[in-house]
Amino acid sequence: PGEFSVSADSFDNQLIAKAIDDPTSLNPIFFAVFNALGVLPGINAALLLPGAKGQRPLPAAPFVSAAFFLGFGAAGPYLALRQPRPDPVGRSELGFFARYVTESRLYGGGLLAAGAVLLYGLLSMADPAAALSDYAELFGSSKLVHVSSIDLLVLSAFAFEPIREDMARRGWWDEAAEGTNNLARLLAFSLVPVLGPAAYLVLRPDLPEERA
């Protein structure tokens, strides 16, 4: 739908300009989608950085960082080519940012709070039917809205495996375990976009200081 253009008069650039001047002028559904794309890369950073050391063939940091600006366009190649790292790891083995920022409960709590605010905005819409109709029209006519919406869906879908791997390194996932307890817990965190993975960051066990 539509076409990308650098012209200030293009539909998408006018949409961005209006959002900057008055964020409340944005369709509330797209407002939630667009801002969720700022939360999900933060979640991915907390899930992927504990297994980032010595990753091949791509280093983690550039792709995890670029995902804040390029979404799945940056995260996708890394997620597709990275080596699985489900083995336990100690906090002492992590880089500064992972050890002191993304491993903190405060970091996860901030992301969960951001997701809750976005959900509240959706639940408090004055006219949900009109907002949904307007969003559907934007989805069909605006490349920005179309690509952002698909990006959110793809990033959310790809959270499943990083969460499973992080659960394994923290003792919450055991391939040999009988029953469905592991799977039920994994699904509880991965099926609800943004809020589920953010809640996982708050509730997941801490890594030990040293590898066991």
Side-chain angles (χ1 to χ4, degrees):
E3 60 181 29
F4 286 118
S5 172
V6 295
S7 169
D9 296 327
S10 70
F11 181 82
D12 284 338
N13 282 336
Q14 288 182 357
L15 187 66
I16 294 171
K18 284 179 61 178
I20 294 173
D21 291 338
D22 180 15
T24 61
S25 68
L26 269 183
N27 174 276
I29 299 176
F30 177 60
F31 180 85
V33 168
F34 190 77
N35 283 281
L37 288 174
V39 178
L40 275 175
I43 292 172
N44 276 336
L47 295 173
L48 296 171
L49 289 180
K53 187 176 181 179
Q55 273 288 349
R56 293 182 178 83
L58 300 176
F63 292 90
V64 171
S65 301
F68 283 94
F69 307 99
L70 301 176
F72 189 75
Y78 178 72
L79 289 170
L81 298 175
R82 64 187 291 272
Q83 300 169 334
R85 296 284 178 81
D87 295 332
V89 63
R91 286 176 65 100
S92 62
E93 301 174 62
L94 304 182
F96 179 87
F97 188 76
R99 181 174 184 176
Y100 294 106
V101 179
T102 61
E103 284 294 311
S104 74
R105 290 278 187 270
L106 185 61
Y107 179 85
L111 293 173
L112 182 59
V117 169
L118 295 179
L119 177 62
Y120 175 78
L122 291 175
L123 296 177
S124 60
M125 289 186 294
D127 190 345
L132 184 59
S133 176
D134 181 50
Y135 173 73
E137 184 176 336
L138 287 170
F139 185 83
S141 60
S142 166
K143 257 200 182 344
L144 176 64
V145 176
H146 193 89
V147 171
S148 296
S149 301
I150 293 175
D151 203 28
L152 177 63
L153 289 175
V154 175
L155 279 172
S156 297
F158 271 79
F160 181 91
E161 182 57 26
I163 292 176
R164 186 202 66 79
E165 183 179 304
D166 196 68
M167 286 173 64
R169 73 170 60 98
R170 296 168 194 270
W172 264 14
W173 180 268
D174 183 359
E175 295 285 358
E178 297 181 359
T180 60
N181 289 336
N182 279 333
L183 182 59
R185 183 157 48 188
L186 174 58
L187 292 176
F189 289 127
S190 59
L191 286 183
V192 181
V194 183
L195 287 175
Y200 170 74
L201 297 184
V202 174
L203 298 173
R204 66 183 180 176
D206 291 329
L207 292 173
E209 186 62 26
E210 302 291 340
R211 187 191 304 224

